[in-house]
Amino acid sequence: EVQLVESGGGLVQPGESLRLSCEASGFTFSDADMSWVRQAPGKGLEWVSSIARLGLMTSYADSVKGRFTISRDNTKNTLYLQMNNLKPEDTAVYYCATTRSGYRDRGQGTQVTVSS
């Protein structure tokens, strides 16, 4: 059974940074392309970023490009999202997910709130 546990969210002011983590278990993490997706209040699920299984290829939504960095540590079965220069429009619940599941296999999420 795929288990994904996100952490690292919180309340920050615009321009500040956060680092999200996602601990994976129940599958071979190093064999899986992984993604971060988010859901803002009243909106649908939005893709944020993806990383290939060995971490050699990454991709980002235009809205976060240049501010967010996705990475992974396959020795720790952990996915990360470094978020810099946060904006109020980044406020959402952030989920890590397996890309191959179409993001259906995802964790419980971690809340990120950007507000002054």
Side-chain angles (χ1 to χ4, degrees):
E1 179 188 359
V2 172
Q3 291 195 336
L4 299 164
V5 180
E6 302 93 339
S7 61
L11 171 63
V12 296
Q13 295 188 344
E16 294 187 337
S17 299
L18 281 173
R19 188 193 197 202
L20 306 184
S21 298
C22 170
E23 295 185 14
S25 60
F27 65 105
T28 304
F29 182 71
S30 58
D31 284 348
D33 297 344
M34 297 295 296
S35 295
W36 286 98
V37 295
R38 67 186 181 185
Q39 188 164 25
K43 296 188 177 181
L45 208 60
E46 177 191 17
W47 171 73
V48 174
S49 181
S50 294
I51 186 167
R53 61 188 184 91
L54 297 181
L56 298 179
M57 292 184 65
T58 59
S59 56
Y60 298 92
D62 287 344
S63 59
V64 306
K65 199 172 294 183
R67 300 188 297 121
F68 290 12
T69 303
I70 190 171
S71 62
R72 64 191 296 162
D73 185 339
N74 287 347
T75 67
K76 297 181 179 179
N77 288 352
T78 302
L79 180 72
Y80 302 100
L81 186 68
Q82 177 67 43
M83 305 187 297
N84 297 330
N85 190 22
L86 282 160
K87 303 177 180 181
E89 52 263 42
D90 295 318
T91 295
V93 178
Y94 284 71
Y95 302 90
C96 68
T98 61
T99 306
R100 66 191 175 198
S101 72
Y103 319 131
R104 288 185 295 275
D105 288 336
R106 59 182 183 264
Q108 83 291 344
T110 186
Q111 176 71 47
V112 172
T113 303
V114 185
S115 175
S116 55

